[in-house]
Amino acid sequence: MSVTIAERHAADVSTATMTVCWDGSCKEPDIRLHTSTSPGPAQCDDGVCVSRASPTGDLNGFADVEDLPTKPVEVRLVLFDTNGSELMDDRVTVTPSMKRPNGDHCPPGGPNAGVSVEDGALRKPD
């Protein structure tokens, strides 16, 4: 389960907790947040090009949810500041799907889903 926290919220967030529920049971996977980056402009010298990663201002994280199904699950995300004060507590329903991270010619990996924090609310991907 991936999480993206938009820049306008990310500056205040220190930690997060996640609960994922389906069929009457819930899992509380560990989630660690990291600064999101994107590649900067390439600089080339004598045919060798280098690009440095630049922070985007967003935060991202990933939680490994054991036995995640490919049917609707409820995701609850709680965000905290550096003092441990709650900044947001919201829920959204998402439907994980199988992905083929190594291409269509390879077997699928496990079910995947993502959520994002935008405009002060937890949202599912478009």
Side-chain angles (χ1 to χ4, degrees):
M1 183 77 58
S2 67
V3 175
T4 302
I5 302 171
E7 179 178 10
R8 72 180 271 196
H9 305 292
D12 298 325
V13 176
S14 177
T15 59
T17 62
M18 177 183 282
T19 306
V20 183
C21 302
W22 68 92
D23 293 339
S25 66
C26 297
K27 308 261 179 164
E28 294 183 9
D30 290 333
I31 183 166
R32 293 184 186 192
L33 300 173
H34 306 279
T35 302
S36 298
T37 59
S38 66
Q43 298 175 348
C44 299
D45 186 23
D46 291 328
V48 176
C49 296
V50 175
S51 176
R52 295 200 189 309
S54 301
T56 65
D58 296 347
L59 289 175
N60 67 67
F62 183 81
D64 187 12
V65 182
E66 191 174 325
D67 301 321
L68 187 66
T70 54
K71 62 183 177 181
V73 298
E74 182 183 71
V75 179
R76 177 183 179 205
L77 186 70
V78 184
L79 303 179
F80 301 92
D81 67 13
T82 56
N83 295 321
S85 297
E86 187 177 293
L87 298 170
M88 186 196 83
D89 182 344
D90 205 357
R91 300 167 193 258
V92 68
T93 299
V94 299
T95 303
S97 61
M98 299 300 281
K99 304 290 184 202
R100 295 180 181 271
N102 298 315
D104 291 339
H105 60 284
C106 293
N112 288 265
V115 295
S116 62
V117 176
E118 299 173 25
D119 300 322
L122 187 60
R123 303 191 186 280
K124 60 184 175 181
D126 294 330

